[in-house]
Amino acid sequence: PRLQYLLEPLHAAVHTQRGATATLPCVLRALPRNYRVKWSKVEPANYRENIIIITNGLYHKNYGPLSPRVRLRHSHRYDASLTITNVALEDEGRYRCQLVNGLEDESVSLTLHLEGVVFPYQPSNGRYKFNYHEAKRACEQQDSRLATYQQLYKAWTEGLDWCNAGWILDGTVHYPIINSREPCGGRLLLPGVRTYGARDKQKDRFDAFCFTSALQGQVYFIRGHLNFKEAGQACRNHGAAIAKVGQLYSAWKFSQLDRCDGGWLADGSVRYPITTPRERCGGLPDPGVRSFGFPSKELRTYGTYCF
């Protein structure tokens, strides 16, 4: 049906970064009598709609976890746009602006996209150890969250090629392949985001695909021959904390952090970020965050990345 009161948004997607302020447009072309506007967010994991804010043009009420960070822009009397301050990773997704006017309800849908980076994640005890809930927690502990399918797909178009299957936010399991090869489903399968579909969130075990966005803060390297404990202390001496994996990926993606030195991270892994690939830095042709895995925490071979 044609929209009578709401203007069709010019752009159905709004692009932003973590920490920014984003506005989702919703503008009325006329003010019906006794109307209300209701903003809600559609959650992909259970297709539930969570109400964020309801207004009748004079008063408004905020609801739910987003409540301290949302307001109506209200730059004129026809403006019911939603402004989200200090955008967080979990704000990504679909929003609905609904005009409730007795019988004639209408709504527009908008998507909030965060610019960011997807990375595969497995724990120190090897591959395929996470059930869904553990994968979700692991990403959160690394300053990220489980990626959505759209985020994973976009990462694949940008070059993510990974042979191990991992959980994503909606409880399905996938792996992105660019170069078809024997150990990854064979040479005959076309490149793409391969899917195992929905899996048992308790019993089935895979890796995780995490997503992170821009940082408020800085990741830097401290030289030295430090074991894991000394690495943490070295960061604290600087008034910082040992960096999480998501923070290193974010610094690599958004601040072009480029270092040839392996450094400890909070999960006990050793990694280094490369933006300009060169011969003596791991030898791989593509930019990326390289990993030495999880060496013994007693080793005094590496420096540390601090945040």
Side-chain angles (χ1 to χ4, degrees), residues 82-103:
L82 182 76
T83 296
I84 305 174
T85 55
N86 194 9
V87 167
L89 294 176
E90 58 272 18
D91 298 346
E92 165 105 17
R94 259 187 53 224
Y95 291 77
R96 210 152 79 98
C97 174
Q98 186 180 14
L99 177 82
V100 183
N101 173 36
L103 304 170

Side-chain angles (χ1 to χ4, degrees), residues 118 120 160:
V118 171
L160 183 61

